[in-house]
Amino acid sequence: MECFTELTPPTAVTHAVCAPFLSPTATNVILARTSLLQIFGLKTLSTELDTTVSVNEDARLTDRRMLDDDGLDQSFLGADVTYQRAERSHSSKLVLIAEYPLSGTVTALAPIKILTSKTGADALLIATKDAKLSLVEWDPDCHAITTISIHYYESEDLQVNPWSPDLAQCVSELSVDPSSRCAALKFGRRNLAILPFRQAGDDLVMGDDDLDMDEDEDEDRPVPKDTRADGHSTKTPYAASFVLPLSALDPSLVHPIHLSFLHEYREPTFGILAAPRAASSALLHERRDLLSYTVFTLDLEQRASTTILSVTDLPYDLYQVVALPTPVGGALLLGVNELIHVDQAGKTNGVAVNPFARECSSFGMADQSDLSLKLEGCVLEQLSPDTGDMLLILASGALAMVTFRLDGRSVSGLSVRTIADESGARVVPPSVSCAASLGRGKMFLGSEEADAVVLGWSRKSKQTAKSASRLGASEEEAQDESYFDEDAIDDQDDDLYADGDGGERQQLTTPSGDGSTGELTFRIHDALPNLAPMKGLTFGLPTAVDTDQGLQDDAISDVELITTSGCGRTGSLTILRPEIYPKVIQQHEFPDVQGIWSVAATRPVVKSRASQAKANAQVDLEQAYAVDDALHRFLIVSRATAQGGEESMAYTVTSTGFDEIKGTEFEPAAGGTVDVGSLGARSRIIQVLRGEIRSYDGDLGLAQIFPISDEVSGAEPKALSTSFCDPYLVVVRDDASLLLLECDGNGDLEEMDKGPTLSVAECLSACLYRDRDGQFAASGQQAKEAKDRVVMFLLTTEGALQIYELPDLSQPKYLAECLGILPAIIATEHAVKKSTARENLTEIVVADLGEGTMTSPYLLVRDAADNLTIYEPFYATAAVSAESFPPSLRLLKISNPTLASAAKVSGDSMDDEEHRARPMRVVSDVGGYRAVFLPGDSPSFVLKGAASIPRVMRLRGPGVRGMSGFHTEGCERGWVYVDVKGVLRVSQFPTDVRYTELGWAMKRVVLGEEVHAISYHEAMHSYVVGTSQPVEFAIPKDDEFHREWADENISLKPTVEQGAIKLLNPITWGVVHTYPLHAYETVLCIKTLSLEVSENTRARKTLVAVGTSIGRMTDQACRGAIYIFEIIRVVPVPGQPETDRHLKLVVREEVKGAVTAISEIGCQGFLLMAQGQKCLVRGLKEDGTLLPVAFMDVMCHVSALKNLPGTGMCLIGDALKGEEPYKMILFGKSGTHLEVIGVEFLPSGDQLYIVVADADSNLHLFQFDPEHPRSLSGSRLLHHTTFNVGSYTTNLTRIPTSSFSFSTSSSTTNTSPTTPSQILHTSHSGALSLLSPLSETTYRTLSSLWNQISNSVDHHAGLNPRSYRSPSSFFPSSSSSSAFTHPASFVALGGLGSAGVAMGGAGGGSGGGGEGRSVLDGAVLRRWGDLSAPRRAEVVARLGLGDGGQGWAQGQAALGGLLAGVGALRLRGKW
């Protein structure tokens, strides 16, 4: 069987809300990314605005760091972007607080106020697919969400009619009463579930909880809750829910469209938009104005409803009800061509926004048809709470403002005004899916096909500018409303982020809707990158520029993955690699090196030089050396000698490399170096040797030698590891004792008194941390006093964590004995028995992780296998004591699915002795990140972005022996490392690559057009891309069959896609040639194929085949064309050597029907193309024409076409029958009702499986086995299992695990049908996933492990991962194996053959042909690290891999090797 693992998280934002979730005063942005829930906070930074950009403004949406206040020049857009900083402003940044993968697809989010909230803040109602509701809240004691209850309405007794469609085929809608009195979930066709919530003073709180529930009630499953934090008992915050058929409310609600709860009603009241008959534009003459808007009020106690008002004869194209708060009130009905407001009395006011409104409806509306707006897919959000103005975001990204004319409390009219481009109307990406107001002047906009952004606006007026000038503010600052609205910025979450008060500025707060004059100006505060929709996918080789002409060798990946992202003007290509590939600046051979350290030190001031400088009065020594002090001047190397010992060498850093230092007091023969650092404000270089510590000045002059031996006992222990934090140094010795030193004002080292507790403590690891922001202190005044202090963390041999506040070493300020078992939460009250299994821990490090100024501390715990466990500190709600470390300090385990590589390659790995001598390295600034580096056989960086959790990313290449930060004039914010092969590399992070959002290296190339397909041409090292732009469609005036078309004249013309084929050179990622297509022609598919070009010589060429569609009107048949291109060399444009290639058209043939899929087939160099309702095999003739070879009839639309190289077998969606003599033979087909989106072969050993993706977000696994009795002698494909992936599939790509060439020619390929393969799966949510076949033994082991983990971990929102991944009753029972009489589509397995050629066959069965075993969910397996050490030992014993005692470590290592291999994407070798 197989295992399905998500490689990257979803990136498309489907839903967003803003609410006080962590605390009553917080402002949190809660996002749903299909099956991922994220909670953000807001942090305001004073930043410099970018005033000069040399590329399209839309490209600015992709980089978060361009808004950082540290001025990082690492742009996500590439080297073509230049910035000129001139203005300063305030920007609101999104900071990730927590994220939770859910076992379900989120369909709606809604905040709700409950009485029993643990924090006093709002709870969150999560609606998931198949009519489930989960109520969650924030638990400050666990620093995570907890599930209050789950309600599901998917039982069959709720489906009244037997002919009702399945829940999966209906759209569920969630609406919450503004006063949080109840929530309504519309599910199925006409069912409405009402979930009441208890509120202070209402009947639900004071009434009886044991209400009689009828048969329509749902099954409410509250999570057990004993007591609150204050010790008082609690009741459930909700009452019993009930289900009402909409027909019980009103018999006319036959076709409900949308509903929403309304504001300013004493009882829960909602408005619903419905129609007695289905609306249809084709029947407009009969069903013109048939919609009705009805308002109902609910009596929750009596479970009854009352109709308040009803408005009939509304336009047929209305599709959404938007409830409006004060001062407007009522509801705004959103249509395709108009906006209609209905107040509380039923009075209506409408406005037509395009000419079609009058032609489609007779409803009375104001005429603003000259705006020519298209409201399909638009989003509406409140712009001003004072005037009620609304911001309208169109599907194209254009902005408009909806204003209401108020006559007292009555609305007398509304109008729409578009936002000009110069006011920032084009900064918003297209296809906005959701919006959430973040307070005055800010709004979050999410998108499923483009980047999500934080949109800000300001209004410049004379009065505002004068007020700003009185405070000394610049005119640019006056334009930013946040300058006058600090209370709306950092009162949101003072406990987490705020470090200053608004003070005087709060008195000058100017509401955006106060009626002041001036135009609104919009800009982007922050952006979250999005990979979706990933329509195209290909693999390519890195460029010569990336490899720096061979410098990188093992440091560069052999293959990179390129996918399409964005839509419309944000269309782009995204280059992905699973590992960090460094930009190597220099490379040197340093054999036998065991460790390296770079040093930045202050040069000693010579008296004569100082006096001369003072006499000349021209040189300020502090300024002269300020820049030089920050740069690394020396490189100290510890290497093995021929005699078996170690020596240390010192090098000076030069522009060309490293020069050995001679003639100083640095002694190489002193022995091997353990660590090197600086103390005394960089005035002293400290070299820690095995037996002594040496102190040097800034020119490596020896200043002091301090022995490591114990003077009291006379023992001579050796140094194992150290930690520096000016002015302290801690050394861990091999006898588990500590040596603590302090650097005095003269730069001399003095030993500190350890006190009675620390003197007898046995330590494995120690770490010093400078707490600059008081993160390890109580909140409030105590945190301010605790800033900039040094804290020491100790890991004892018993597995306890001790924290000391230096210089006080009398006793630990914090003691937790449970670190050794790696619990989910580390707390002081957690006691551990001696017999409890413990993890073999080796090292701890506390360091700040993040980018720019948005950093936070984390505890990193390393075990003997180089696996990392990450903890985040937080404070529980327990009473805060007067100590600096109150008992409420806890540490929460952060999920880290990355496991160290288990396999060791000879010559590339290190023995166990080397592992202990190579501790983790804290790097303060590497490419703008504060990071931690893990050396060893699995070298990795621990990186964190502002909008991501800490991620462990593997460094490409062999094992690493030593690493150090490296900041010089030629390598700014880089690092230097040496691998096990003795190669030293000076490296940097590429400036246009991001890492933390996905856990993969990600680079974006913005094209500014929507990208439909992409293919890589290996021989010319180029990419062929199919793009399109929207153009207006004009009806042909000279059509002789439709002369009436000549008289048609409309101002708002429909738009169609106008395609083009572009050739990209990956050296610059610029377009070097564009081939325009015919009018209204769009690219559907692009493939690079090895085709036979000569019937005589049988010569082949690598050519590019392009399939297109030519669409005109709905009443005209669609046509298509097949293009064959050759990429040739040409004379480049002077000064642009990358333009040396060109697309040469070989053949273009226009055909009937669109060319939807292309593939190579067989071993003879033929082309297989899907053309309308036929699949044809074509051969390329020497005269440049295509010769028909064979064909097969299909049903309607071929969505996927795949071949298995070397076999002549292919997969065709919807194939039905074939023809002779040179024929395509139908081997087998599925007999099930499928809407095929994608197919792919998955050979595994001597078995052939077929993976099929359908339109319901499911993957189906079929097997070709003609010997199976249920395959009916090979006429049916055996169905094994169905697996829900949670999002719409866009691509299925087979990846052979062995190396193969890009060319698909049978003469160059070295794959076979038995080659082990993986399936790379991409989805519309922007997630990358992997389907990996498993052996029987591995599957049984991991299946048992899946059950153990699933029963041990908490499932967020109370959702069941098993039911989420396994759709119920999709296929009929095994007894009903007959074919369907009217299937919607089929999956067919066919082959290409000719006379005298032996052909293989295929077959299958319908229904229960498989074993009934499901695909394993890798998301659950990757939570193995979330288990504590005792639970892991128990699981290992149950699996029979260990005895649960001392031998469980070997079993855990075996499991770790399996888990590390299952989710690994093997992009190795030559592809």
Side-chain angles (χ1 to χ4, degrees):
M1 293 301 291
E2 288 73 25
C3 179
F4 183 85
T5 307
E6 281 193 356
L7 301 178
T8 62
T11 57
V13 177
T14 56
H15 302 86
V17 294
C18 180
F21 189 66
L22 268 67
S23 68
T25 59
T27 299
N28 300 116
V29 183
I30 306 173
L31 307 182
R33 300 174 184 255
T34 309
S35 59
L36 181 68
L37 185 71
Q38 293 183 316
I39 304 172
F40 289 87
L42 284 175
K43 183 175 182 180
T44 301
L45 302 176
S46 178
T47 62
E48 292 180 345
L49 286 176
D50 175 20
T51 59
T52 302
V53 183
S54 61
V55 297
N56 193 321
E57 289 185 0
D58 301 320
R60 299 176 59 183
L61 303 177
T62 55
D63 193 8
R64 293 173 51 85
R65 287 184 286 179
M66 63 180 292
L67 297 172
D68 288 350
D69 62 346
D70 55 355
L72 301 181
D73 60 352
Q74 301 192 5
S75 170
F76 196 27
L77 309 176
D80 295 334
V81 181
T82 59
Y83 299 102
Q84 182 178 356
R85 307 277 184 169
E87 302 177 2
R88 295 195 65 83
S89 181
H90 295 86
S91 293
S92 295
K93 304 284 287 184
L94 292 172
V95 180
L96 182 66
I97 297 173
E99 70 176 26
Y100 305 97
L102 304 178
S103 297
T105 302
V106 177
T107 58
L109 296 176
I112 194 162
K113 298 182 184 298
I114 59 176
L115 288 179
T116 57
S117 173
K118 295 181 179 180
T119 61
D122 290 356
L124 182 67
L125 200 58
I126 305 173
T128 52
K129 194 176 179 182
D130 295 338
K132 294 186 180 71
L133 285 178
S134 299
L135 183 64
V136 300
E137 67 174 335
W138 184 260
D139 188 351
D141 294 335
C142 300
H143 197 68
I145 62 172
T146 57
T147 306
I148 300 175
S149 63
I150 181 171
H151 315 262
Y152 56 89
Y153 306 90
E154 56 184 349
S155 57
E156 295 181 359
D157 57 345
L158 295 178
Q159 305 298 322
V160 180
N161 298 323
W163 54 83
S164 298
D166 295 336
L167 290 178
Q169 301 176 3
C170 301
V171 178
S172 299
E173 297 176 0
L174 176 66
S175 182
V176 174
D177 177 55
S179 300
S180 299
R181 291 166 292 193
C182 69
L185 177 69
K186 175 191 164 295
F187 66 97
R189 289 292 299 270
R190 303 176 185 91
N191 293 325
L192 189 65
I194 306 297
L195 178 61
F197 290 95
R198 309 179 193 274
Q199 299 298 330
D202 62 12
D203 296 336
L204 293 175
V205 175
M206 297 181 290
D208 187 7
D209 291 337
D210 299 329
L211 299 176
D212 294 333
M213 299 178 64
D214 56 21
E215 61 182 2
D216 289 339
E217 293 170 357
D218 76 311
E219 302 179 44
D220 297 321
R221 295 189 174 181
V223 175
K225 298 175 63 177
D226 297 329
T227 58
R228 292 182 57 183
D230 56 6
H232 294 87
S233 62
T234 62
K235 298 180 180 179
T236 58
Y238 56 89
S241 65
F242 54 94
V243 176
L244 293 175
L246 288 178
S247 58
L249 302 179
D250 191 333
S252 64
L253 301 180
V254 179
H255 295 278
I257 297 175
H258 191 259
L259 65 88
S260 178
F261 277 95
L262 305 179
H263 296 262
E264 298 183 286
Y265 283 91
R266 295 186 58 184
E267 298 294 335
T269 304
F270 66 91
I272 183 169
L273 195 63
R277 294 178 295 173
S280 173
S281 58
L283 301 175
L284 189 59
H285 60 287
E286 297 180 2
R287 306 178 185 182
R288 186 176 182 87
D289 294 326
L290 78 163
L291 299 191
S292 64
Y293 171 73
T294 310
V295 177
F296 298 92
T297 182
L298 295 175
D299 187 340
L300 299 179
E301 185 178 3
Q302 300 297 327
R303 301 182 180 181
S305 63
T306 304
T307 303
I308 295 181
L309 62 90
S310 179
V311 180
T312 60
D313 299 332
L314 293 173
Y316 84 101
D317 57 354
L318 296 176
Y319 63 90
Q320 186 176 356
V321 179
V322 180
L324 301 180
T326 57
V328 179
L332 186 64
L333 307 183
L334 193 59
V336 174
N337 305 311
E338 65 280 317
L339 298 172
I340 298 176
H341 178 265
V342 182
D343 65 8
Q344 296 178 345
K347 178 184 176 182
T348 61
N349 291 277
V351 56
V353 297
N354 61 51
F356 292 106
R358 290 296 183 187
E359 298 182 11
C360 299
S361 175
S362 301
F363 190 84
M365 294 176 287
D367 188 10
Q368 283 192 273
S369 58
D370 56 325
L371 295 176
S372 297
L373 300 181
K374 302 177 182 179
L375 302 185
E376 299 97 330
C378 69
V379 174
L380 202 63
E381 186 60 40
Q382 190 179 56
L383 189 66
S384 169
D386 302 307
T387 62
D389 294 344
M390 306 292 289
L391 182 64
L392 185 66
I393 304 104
L394 302 181
S396 62
L399 301 179
M401 185 162 53
V402 181
T403 58
F404 300 89
R405 294 189 297 273
L406 300 179
D407 186 6
R409 292 298 305 274
S410 176
V411 176
S412 59
L414 69 158
S415 61
V416 180
R417 180 171 60 89
T418 58
I419 305 298
D421 291 347
E422 54 269 17
S423 298
R426 290 182 57 83
V427 300
V428 177
S431 299
V432 173
S433 60
C434 55
S437 176
L438 307 182
R440 297 182 182 273
K442 293 182 292 294
M443 182 185 300
F444 177 84
L445 302 177
S447 176
E448 296 189 46
E449 296 184 344
D451 293 345
V453 299
V454 176
L455 179 68
W457 61 86
S458 60
R459 187 191 302 272
K460 182 180 178 182
S461 64
K462 295 181 180 179
Q463 181 180 359
T464 305
K466 289 180 180 179
S467 301
S469 62
R470 294 173 186 172
L471 288 177
S474 64
E475 185 177 354
E476 289 79 7
E477 289 174 326
Q479 297 183 22
D480 193 340
E481 187 181 343
S482 61
Y483 180 86
F484 301 99
D485 200 17
E486 290 294 323
D487 61 331
I489 295 175
D490 281 329
D491 283 347
Q492 301 161 352
D493 209 348
D494 293 335
D495 293 332
L496 289 178
Y497 309 114
D499 55 353
D501 53 71
E504 185 178 2
R505 293 183 179 179
Q506 293 185 4
Q507 302 176 3
L508 295 173
T509 300
T510 304
S512 61
D514 60 353
S516 59
T517 60
E519 294 293 330
L520 290 177
T521 301
F522 295 86
R523 67 182 181 92
I524 298 300
H525 286 247
D526 198 6
L528 301 177
N530 182 13
L531 265 66
M534 305 180 75
K535 296 180 181 178
L537 178 71
T538 189
F539 292 93
L541 297 176
T543 62
V545 174
D546 288 340
T547 57
D548 281 339
Q549 298 178 353
L551 284 182
Q552 290 174 277
D553 298 332
D554 294 327
I556 193 68
S557 175
D558 295 328
V559 181
E560 57 189 10
L561 189 152
I562 298 90
T563 184
T564 62
S565 303
C567 64
R569 65 176 186 273
T570 62
S572 58
L573 300 179
T574 303
I575 299 97
L576 299 172
R577 291 176 183 170
E579 299 171 329
I580 293 177
Y581 58 103
K583 177 183 178 182
V584 178
I585 298 177
Q586 294 180 5
Q587 180 173 305
H588 306 277
E589 296 291 335
F590 275 69
D592 302 324
V593 169
Q594 303 300 315
I596 55 174
W597 297 268
S598 57
V599 182
T602 304
R603 289 192 178 97
V605 180
V606 183
K607 293 184 178 180
S608 58
R609 185 186 303 174
S611 59
Q612 180 181 0
K614 183 179 294 185
N616 296 335
Q618 295 178 353
V619 180
D620 186 348
L621 290 178
E622 294 183 0
Q623 296 181 0
Y625 294 127
V627 177
D628 187 63
D629 292 344
L631 302 178
H632 290 105
R633 298 171 49 210
F634 304 110
L635 185 71
I636 297 178
V637 176
S638 178
R639 65 184 184 186
T641 61
Q643 293 76 22
E646 287 189 20
E647 63 178 2
S648 300
M649 305 295 295
Y651 297 86
T652 182
V653 179
T654 65
S655 59
T656 58
F658 306 98
D659 294 338
E660 184 178 350
I661 298 177
K662 298 181 180 180
T664 65
E665 296 179 345
F666 186 89
E667 298 184 14
T673 301
V674 176
D675 200 358
V676 177
S678 61
L679 295 176
R682 295 183 182 148
S683 63
R684 288 290 185 266
I685 300 175
I686 309 299
Q687 181 191 20
V688 181
L689 304 174
R690 295 289 183 183
E692 63 185 18
I693 300 174
R694 296 196 170 201
S695 177
Y696 301 91
D697 60 20
D699 285 335
L700 294 182
L702 185 62
Q704 184 184 5
I705 298 179
F706 197 97
I708 294 181
S709 60
D710 193 340
E711 297 180 356
V712 178
S713 62
E716 296 183 355
K718 302 299 182 182
L720 287 181
S721 62
T722 66
S723 180
F724 290 87
C725 188
D726 201 4
Y728 302 104
L729 166 64
V730 58
V731 180
V732 180
R733 296 179 284 203
D734 56 3
D735 61 352
S737 63
L738 292 180
L739 174 64
L740 286 101
L741 303 177
E742 181 179 6
C743 183
D744 60 17
N746 297 324
D748 297 331
L749 298 177
E750 297 181 357
E751 186 173 1
M752 301 175 62
D753 185 10
K754 293 185 290 186
T757 304
L758 199 56
S759 299
V760 297
E762 296 184 355
C763 301
L764 291 176
S765 179
C767 176
L768 298 177
Y769 171 75
R770 184 174 299 279
D771 192 5
R772 293 184 174 87
D773 300 326
Q775 296 284 352
F776 290 95
S779 59
Q781 184 66 25
Q782 193 176 116
K784 297 181 180 179
E785 296 175 355
K787 287 184 178 181
D788 202 22
R789 61 175 182 169
V790 178
V791 183
M792 181 172 66
F793 296 80
L794 296 183
L795 171 63
T796 66
T797 54
E798 293 82 11
L801 174 66
Q802 299 181 3
I803 305 179
Y804 293 82
E805 181 182 354
L806 302 183
D808 184 10
L809 300 175
S810 58
Q811 62 181 359
K813 301 296 183 181
Y814 184 86
L815 174 61
E817 299 179 353
C818 58
L819 179 59
I821 66 173
L822 298 179
I825 295 180
I826 297 177
T828 55
E829 60 270 17
H830 195 159
V832 181
K833 298 180 180 180
K834 291 185 178 180
S835 59
T836 304
R838 288 175 170 83
E839 193 70 57
N840 186 10
L841 305 181
T842 59
E843 183 183 4
I844 62 171
V845 165
V846 178
D848 287 328
L849 299 178
E851 54 181 341
T853 59
M854 290 172 288
T855 60
S856 54
Y858 289 88
L859 168 65
L860 279 69
V861 184
R862 182 183 185 184
D863 63 15
D866 280 351
N867 293 315
L868 291 180
T869 305
I870 305 175
Y871 284 93
E872 177 186 9
F874 72 96
Y875 285 91
T877 56
V880 178
S881 66
E883 300 291 337
S884 297
F885 293 96
S888 58
L889 174 64
R890 298 180 179 180
L891 295 104
L892 174 69
K893 181 188 288 188
I894 304 298
S895 179
N896 174 32
T898 305
L899 298 176
S901 300
K904 295 185 178 181
V905 182
S906 177
D908 292 353
S909 61
M910 298 176 287
D911 55 27
D912 294 336
E913 183 65 27
E914 289 182 333
H915 278 289
R916 290 194 293 268
R918 286 171 174 81
M920 291 183 283
R921 182 73 59 185
V922 179
V923 188
S924 60
D925 188 359
V926 51
Y929 295 100
R930 293 180 181 267
V932 174
F933 182 79
L934 173 68
D937 289 331
S938 300
S940 306
F941 277 96
V942 183
L943 304 175
K944 180 186 181 302
S948 71
I949 61 175
R951 301 192 186 276
V952 180
M953 295 193 61
R954 175 73 187 267
L955 177 66
R956 178 73 168 96
V960 173
R961 289 176 174 170
M963 179 268 183
S964 181
F966 197 71
H967 180 61
T968 64
E969 294 181 354
C971 180
E972 296 184 0
R973 295 177 296 183
W975 80 92
V976 57
Y977 71 100
V978 60
D979 59 24
V980 295
K981 297 180 179 180
V983 179
L984 183 144
R985 296 181 177 91
V986 178
S987 308
Q988 285 179 318
F989 283 151
T991 57
D992 52 358
V993 177
R994 294 288 296 168
Y995 300 96
T996 57
E997 283 79 5
L998 302 176
W1000 282 37
M1002 176 177 63
K1003 174 182 177 180
R1004 180 169 295 181
V1005 179
V1006 179
L1007 300 180
E1009 300 180 10
E1010 185 153 359
V1011 185
H1012 298 277
I1014 182 173
S1015 183
Y1016 176 66
H1017 193 287
E1018 182 187 14
M1020 299 298 293
H1021 191 44
S1022 303
Y1023 292 90
V1024 182
V1025 178
T1027 65
S1028 69
Q1029 286 184 333
V1031 296
E1032 290 187 347
F1033 178 79
I1035 295 179
K1037 305 295 184 180
D1038 55 351
D1039 193 303
E1040 59 181 9
F1041 298 101
H1042 298 276
R1043 300 187 183 276
E1044 68 277 7
W1045 289 355
D1047 301 329
E1048 187 175 45
N1049 184 18
I1050 58 175
S1051 58
L1052 183 59
K1053 297 181 179 180
T1055 59
V1056 295
E1057 297 293 326
Q1058 176 61 57
I1061 304 173
K1062 298 180 181 294
L1063 181 65
L1064 274 70
N1065 191 329
I1067 296 179
T1068 60
W1069 288 107
V1071 178
V1072 297
H1073 181 225
T1074 300
Y1075 185 89
L1077 300 181
H1078 291 202
Y1080 315 133
E1081 188 174 9
T1082 307
V1083 175
L1084 297 182
C1085 54
I1086 300 178
K1087 290 291 183 180
T1088 301
L1089 310 173
S1090 176
L1091 300 181
E1092 182 181 285
V1093 295
S1094 176
E1095 299 177 83
N1096 299 324
T1097 63
R1098 303 296 182 184
R1100 291 194 181 188
K1101 282 187 179 180
T1102 303
L1103 304 176
V1104 178
V1106 180
T1108 67
S1109 170
I1110 306 175
R1112 292 180 176 86
M1113 296 187 343
T1114 57
D1115 58 346
Q1116 292 189 355
C1118 180
R1119 298 185 63 83
I1122 176 71
Y1123 292 81
I1124 304 294
F1125 289 98
E1126 180 183 2
I1127 303 179
I1128 61 174
R1129 296 282 184 181
V1130 295
V1131 178
V1133 177
Q1136 300 179 13
E1138 68 276 6
T1139 61
D1140 61 343
R1141 55 205 70 183
H1142 200 276
L1143 285 172
K1144 176 186 176 183
L1145 180 62
V1146 178
V1147 61
R1148 178 187 186 273
E1149 180 179 330
E1150 190 167 329
V1151 296
K1152 295 181 180 180
V1155 180
T1156 58
I1158 295 175
S1159 176
E1160 187 175 350
I1161 187 171
C1163 306
Q1164 300 171 325
F1166 289 153
L1167 165 71
L1168 176 64
M1169 55 181 287
Q1171 168 192 329
Q1173 294 180 317
K1174 291 183 181 294
C1175 281
L1176 292 89
V1177 178
R1178 312 290 296 271
L1180 184 62
K1181 300 175 63 176
E1182 294 183 356
D1183 58 356
T1185 59
L1186 290 174
L1187 175 68
V1189 178
F1191 77 95
M1192 176 181 288
D1193 291 329
V1194 294
M1195 292 191 65
C1196 296
H1197 178 86
V1198 175
S1199 56
L1201 199 61
K1202 297 294 178 67
N1203 77 303
L1204 191 60
T1207 64
M1209 303 175 69
C1210 65
L1211 281 174
I1212 307 172
D1214 298 344
L1216 189 59
K1217 59 182 180 179
E1219 294 283 344
E1220 299 202 17
Y1222 194 102
K1223 57 187 177 180
M1224 295 183 67
I1225 305 173
L1226 178 65
F1227 292 152
K1229 63 184 179 183
S1230 68
T1232 54
H1233 187 95
L1234 286 176
E1235 186 177 350
V1236 179
I1237 300 302
V1239 294
E1240 186 57 273
F1241 285 102
L1242 183 60
S1244 179
D1246 57 353
Q1247 302 293 326
L1248 179 60
Y1249 296 94
I1250 298 171
V1251 181
V1252 181
D1254 68 9
D1256 293 328
S1257 304
N1258 296 322
L1259 288 184
H1260 306 275
L1261 186 65
F1262 293 91
Q1263 183 184 4
F1264 164 52
D1265 187 4
E1267 298 180 359
H1268 197 283
R1270 285 181 180 162
S1271 67
L1272 302 180
S1273 300
S1275 63
R1276 290 291 184 267
L1277 298 177
L1278 296 174
H1279 174 258
H1280 273 260
T1281 187
T1282 301
F1283 185 83
N1284 191 320
V1285 298
S1287 183
Y1288 187 86
T1289 300
T1290 55
N1291 284 286
L1292 292 174
T1293 305
R1294 185 176 64 92
I1295 307 173
T1297 55
S1298 62
S1299 61
F1300 69 98
S1301 173
F1302 272 102
S1303 175
T1304 57
S1305 171
S1306 60
S1307 61
T1308 59
T1309 185
N1310 55 3
T1311 62
S1312 66
T1314 60
T1315 300
S1317 302
Q1318 295 172 305
I1319 300 295
L1320 185 63
H1321 171 274
T1322 62
S1323 67
H1324 191 269
S1325 65
L1328 282 173
S1329 305
L1330 194 67
L1331 186 66
S1332 305
L1334 305 175
S1335 65
E1336 183 66 20
T1337 303
T1338 303
Y1339 178 82
R1340 292 181 181 273
T1341 301
L1342 294 183
S1343 179
S1344 301
L1345 178 63
W1346 188 97
N1347 291 324
Q1348 296 294 328
I1349 297 176
S1350 179
N1351 296 330
S1352 302
V1353 299
D1354 294 331
H1355 300 296
H1356 307 298
L1359 299 173
N1360 187 353
R1362 186 185 298 273
S1363 63
Y1364 169 54
R1365 294 301 190 183
S1366 301
S1368 59
S1369 302
F1370 184 89
F1371 283 91
S1373 62
S1374 58
S1375 60
S1376 58
S1377 59
S1378 60
F1380 284 72
T1381 56
H1382 298 286
S1385 57
F1386 290 91
V1387 182
L1389 178 65
L1392 177 64
S1394 59
V1397 180
M1399 294 297 301
S1406 172
E1411 299 295 333
R1413 298 188 299 179
S1414 62
V1415 176
L1416 295 180
D1417 187 358
V1420 176
L1421 293 175
R1422 299 181 81 179
R1423 299 189 66 180
W1424 167 253
D1426 295 352
L1427 303 182
S1428 62
R1431 178 57 180 153
R1432 286 194 227 174
E1434 181 182 352
V1435 171
V1436 169
R1438 290 188 176 183
L1439 296 180
L1441 300 177
D1443 57 5
Q1446 298 297 327
W1448 77 277
Q1450 289 78 10
Q1452 180 180 228
L1455 276 182
L1458 289 179
L1459 294 174
V1462 164
L1465 179 62
R1466 305 176 182 93
L1467 299 182
R1468 296 291 186 270
K1470 180 180 174 60
W1471 277 60

